């Protein structure tokens, strides 16, 4: 069985916002300032609520300045990201679309403490995952990067099918693909003990990253080529520890049946 759990706590930084342009039929965005005393760092994390009854509860109870503590999971799926690109040669604007990996922290339960001030609250950012590593592990000095495929239970998959817009339901949302970064001692553990096709257990924290996808761009107006990128933000994981999960023997052939998704960066 895969594990996909996130626990996030922090001060509500903005009024909850209904995401009318989101990938979901209905979603409420909660922006949190997370004061992490464990690493002496402030983080800003956006969480989503997609269950209608929880949305109504959050809109009634969650206010700016409150302390919000929620349990959720990291959801990822492929989607088409479109952006406007300006030609550096002639200045002509045109749109380009790229298939990208999108991710959200989706809450399924939460508590609110009204009127808590940031200096008096401890931020929480903790995540636990288990899954299979389908792709080669990228390694550099003092860092390692793995892609972790987390099989989604049937009930969670049915819920996701219900809340995604029709445009998003293309089949590639059957798995969560989580990018996990390991540094220093964690990177050494990955280098020495972890291999492609292993099933692993990861503890860490989620972080927002901006990812650049290269685009083959030739201007429709002047015909000149240039290097261009489509930028998108997604949530990845910084690992505190990565261990082999020896209690489970993965069926890797069935996992790779949807090969295009497993290979997504």
């Amino acid at each position: 069985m895969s594990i996909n759990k996130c626990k996030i706590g922090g001060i509500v930084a903005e009024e909850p916002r209904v995401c009318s342009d989101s990938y979901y039929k209905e979603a409420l965005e909660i922006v949190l300032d997370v004061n992490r005393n464990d690493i002496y760092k402030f983080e800003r994390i956006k969480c989503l609520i997609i269950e209608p009854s929880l949305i109504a509860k959050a809109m009634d109870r969650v206010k700016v300045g409150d302390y919000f503590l929620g349990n959720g999971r990291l959801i990822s799926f492929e989607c088409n990201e479109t952006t406007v690109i300006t030609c550096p040669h002639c200045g002509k604007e045109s749109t380009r679309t790229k298939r990208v990996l999108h991710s959200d922290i989706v809450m399924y339960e939460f508590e609110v403490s009204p009127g808590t001030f940031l200096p008096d609250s401890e931020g929480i950012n903790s995540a636990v995952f288990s899954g299979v590593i389908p792709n080669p592990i990228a390694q550099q000095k003092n860092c390692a990067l793995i892609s972790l495929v987390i099989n989604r239970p049937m009930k969670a998959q049915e819920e996701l099918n219900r809340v995604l817009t029709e445009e998003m339901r293309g089949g590639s949302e059957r798995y969560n693909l989580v990018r996990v970064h390991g540094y220093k001692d964690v990177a050494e553990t990955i280098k020495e003990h972890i291999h492609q096709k292993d099933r692993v257990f990861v503890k860490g924290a989620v972080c927002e990253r901006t990812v650049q996808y290269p685009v083959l761009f030739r201007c429709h107006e002047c015909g000149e080529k240039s290097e261009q990128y489509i930028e998108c933000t997604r949530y990845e994981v910084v690992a505190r520890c990565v261990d082999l999960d020896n209690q489970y023997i993965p069926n890797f052939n069935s996992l790779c049946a949807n090969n295009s998704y497993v290979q997504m960066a």
Side-chain angles (χ1 to χ4, degrees), residues 213-252:
Y213 289 85
V215 176
L216 296 176
F217 182 78
R218 181 193 290 270
C219 181
H220 296 322
E221 183 72 17
C222 67
E224 292 289 337
K225 295 180 180 179
S226 61
E227 293 185 359
Q228 300 289 343
Y229 300 89
I230 289 180
E231 286 192 349
C232 65
T233 59
R234 70 183 182 209
Y235 282 98
E236 300 183 349
V237 177
V238 176
R240 291 196 307 272
C241 66
V242 178
D243 299 310
L244 284 171
D245 185 352
N246 295 317
Q247 303 302 313
Y248 179 86
I249 300 176
N251 184 348
F252 189 75

Side-chain angles (χ1 to χ4, degrees), residues 22-191:
S22 80
Y23 304 102
Y24 307 93
K25 295 174 183 176
E26 192 174 16
L28 185 70
E29 181 183 89
I30 309 292
V31 180
L32 301 178
D33 281 334
V34 180
N35 178 19
R36 292 187 59 191
N37 294 334
D38 55 334
I39 58 174
Y40 303 103
K41 179 183 177 183
F42 287 96
E43 299 172 328
R44 176 156 288 194
I45 296 178
K46 297 177 182 178
C47 303
L48 290 185
I49 297 174
I50 58 178
E51 171 60 39
S53 61
L54 281 182
I55 290 176
K57 175 183 173 182
M59 292 185 70
D60 180 58
R61 294 184 56 189
V62 179
K63 308 297 181 184
V64 173
D66 291 347
Y67 185 80
F68 179 100
L69 178 62
N71 293 316
R73 57 180 62 91
L74 191 62
I75 288 180
S76 66
F77 50 83
E78 291 175 305
C79 63
N80 291 326
E81 185 77 16
T82 300
T83 191
V84 176
I85 295 177
T86 303
C87 176
H89 301 283
C90 69
K92 178 69 174 181
E93 291 185 345
S94 57
T95 61
R96 293 292 188 274
T97 300
K98 185 80 172 180
R99 196 74 169 165
V100 303
L101 183 68
H102 178 83
S103 62
D104 292 303
I105 304 169
V106 176
M107 294 296 175
Y108 54 82
E109 62 181 10
F110 69 87
E111 298 177 357
V112 179
S113 299
T116 304
F117 292 101
L118 189 60
D120 302 323
S121 64
E122 180 177 352
I124 298 172
N125 181 353
S126 180
V128 179
F129 305 96
S130 69
V132 177
I133 302 172
N135 299 327
I137 299 172
Q139 295 184 356
Q140 297 179 357
K141 185 177 181 180
N142 293 326
C143 68
L145 174 63
I146 62 177
S147 296
L148 192 65
V149 172
I150 301 172
N151 195 20
R152 190 173 286 120
M154 183 64 69
K155 184 176 180 181
Q157 180 58 34
E158 291 174 352
E159 175 68 13
L160 186 61
N161 285 338
R162 185 179 67 81
V163 300
L164 282 176
T165 62
E166 294 300 323
E167 291 79 5
M168 296 309 307
R169 292 172 59 184
S172 63
E173 73 280 357
R174 289 187 297 126
Y175 301 107
N176 287 304
L177 186 64
V178 179
R179 304 273 280 180
V180 179
H181 300 260
Y183 298 99
K184 298 182 180 179
D185 292 345
V186 176
E188 284 299 314
T189 298
I190 294 173
K191 181 179 179 181

Side-chain angles (χ1 to χ4, degrees), residues 187-205:
E188 284 299 314
T189 298
I190 294 173
K191 181 179 179 181
E192 294 177 8
H193 303 292
I194 307 299
H195 306 90
Q196 184 181 3
K197 300 186 182 181
D198 283 345
R199 181 177 177 88
V200 296
F201 183 77
V202 175
K203 292 182 180 179

